[in-house]
Amino acid sequence: MRDQFGRQIRYLRISVTDRCNLRCTYCMPEEGLDWIPKPEMLSYEEIADIVRQMAAMGLGRVRITGGEPLIRRDLPRLIELLSAIGGIDDISLSTNAILLPRFADALKDAGVGRLNISLDTLRRDRFEEIARRPARRFDETMEGIAAAEAAGFDPIKINCVVMRGFNDDEVADFAAVTRDRPWHVRFIELMPVGRNLHLTDRFISADEVLRRIEAIEDLKPDAGPLGNGPAQYYRHPGAPGTVGVITPLSHNYCERCNRMRLTADGKLRTCLFGDHEVDLRGPLRDSGSIEASVEQALAGKPKRHYLQLGSASNSGGLLALSQVGG
Ligand code: SAM
Ligand code: SF4
C-alpha cells in the first residue's frame, strides 16, 4: 500500500474501544466522553476481516489500542483471529497494564509480541492526581508490569507523558529504574486536543527532557529496543533498559509515517491529527469489500500534521486521543 506521496503503509493501529478504566488528565475528561454505541462498534470478526483484506494489500503490522483495550471482553480471542492471518508478522498492544495480571499469559499465547505500557509516575501518591482513579490502581499497574515481565514480554516499552509541575521531576527516577529492569521508557510530549487545552502551560518539550536526560551521568546514546519507531534512546552501560524521547509536536515524523488508524466504530484515519477519515464499517457490512475505501483513504493521507501547541484547531476534531488510540 502506498499513499499519494509514495510512503509505504504497512502498519495499522486498531482501537477496540473508546472507553477506559482510568481518566488520565491529559487524555480523557473526568466525566468521560459520549461513548460509541455498541451496535456501531466493529465486532472482532469484522476487525479480523478488515485486517485480512488489508494484509492482502500489503499490511504487515498491527497494534491494538483504545481507550483501554483490555476492558473489552476476551481480547485474547481477537489476537487469536489476527494471529491466524497470513502476512501479519507483528502484533503489539498498548495498555495501562491494570488488567495484565489477568491477561498477560493469554495475550502472549494468543500472539501478542510486544507491549507498550502507559506509566506517568513512579510515585503512588501522584497517581490519583494524574490518572484520577484511586491509588490502588497504581499498585495494580505495577502488578501488571510485573505480570508482563513474568509472561516473558521483551521489550516492554513504558510511555510517560511528561508534564511540567506534575511529573517532570521524575525523569532521573525513571532512568534509574532502567539500570535494573528491562524497561524502555519513552518520554512523550503532551499533544493538544479539544479537552486538554487547560494543560497547555504544562507542556514540556522533548528537547528540554533530552537535556535533563543528557545531564544524567553515564547515559550513552543507544539504538534502543527492537521496533523502536520514532524515538531517540540512551542507556546506562550494561543496563537492561533504556530511556528516550518521542517528539510528535516539536519535531514530527510525518515524512517517514507508515501508519493508519482504525477507530472502534470502523473509521480509517490516515493521520492522527488530520480530519481525513474514510468509513470502512458501511462498505464492510454492505458489500463485504473494503479495498476501494482503503485506496480512497490512502489517496487522501495528508503530507504531515499541523498540530500546534495551545490549539486544537488542527487536531482533526479530536477531543481526546482515547477516541483514536493515540
Ligand atoms: N489505554 C492505553 C494506554 O494508556 O496505553 C492505550 C490508549 S492511550 C490513548 C495510548 C497512548 O496515548 C498512551 O501512551 C497515552 O499516554 C498517550 N496519550 C493520550 N493522550 C495523550 C496526549 N494528549 N498527549 C500525548 N500522549 C497522549
Ligand atoms: Fe485511558 Fe490510556 Fe487515555 Fe489513560 S491514556 S485515560 S489509560 S486511554
Side-chain angles (χ1 to χ4, degrees), residues 23-134:
R23 290 288 183 275
C24 304
T25 25
Y26 53 81
C27 182
M28 212 188 266
E30 184 142 31
E31 67 281 10
L33 293 159
D34 290 335
W35 310 124
I36 299 171
K38 290 264 159 61
E40 293 179 18
M41 306 237 320
L42 296 176
S43 68
Y44 286 165
E45 284 69 20
E46 286 174 327
I47 293 172
D49 197 352
I50 287 173
V51 171
R52 197 172 301 113
Q53 293 189 48
M54 284 195 186
M57 299 170 73
L59 189 74
R61 293 175 62 187
V62 295
R63 170 173 295 278
I64 306 302
T65 175
E68 173 46 43
L70 290 176
I71 65 172
R72 182 145 174 196
R73 187 187 301 225
D74 197 12
L75 191 71
R77 191 171 75 78
L78 172 65
I79 307 297
E80 279 168 16
L81 293 175
L82 299 179
S83 294
I85 298 173
I88 300 299
D89 50 33
D90 183 24
I91 302 176
S92 54
L93 174 74
S94 291
T95 172
N96 60 29
I98 288 174
L99 291 171
L100 280 179
R102 204 187 307 167
F103 288 115
D105 287 330
L107 290 166
K108 180 99 184 148
D109 291 347
V112 172
R114 296 180 296 116
L115 288 181
N116 283 14
I117 294 174
S118 289
L119 181 68
D120 300 314
T121 181
L122 293 166
R123 291 174 41 172
R124 191 176 192 275
D125 58 316
R126 282 189 174 169
F127 187 84
E128 283 193 46
E129 192 188 359
I130 295 180
R132 294 185 297 202
R133 285 292 182 263

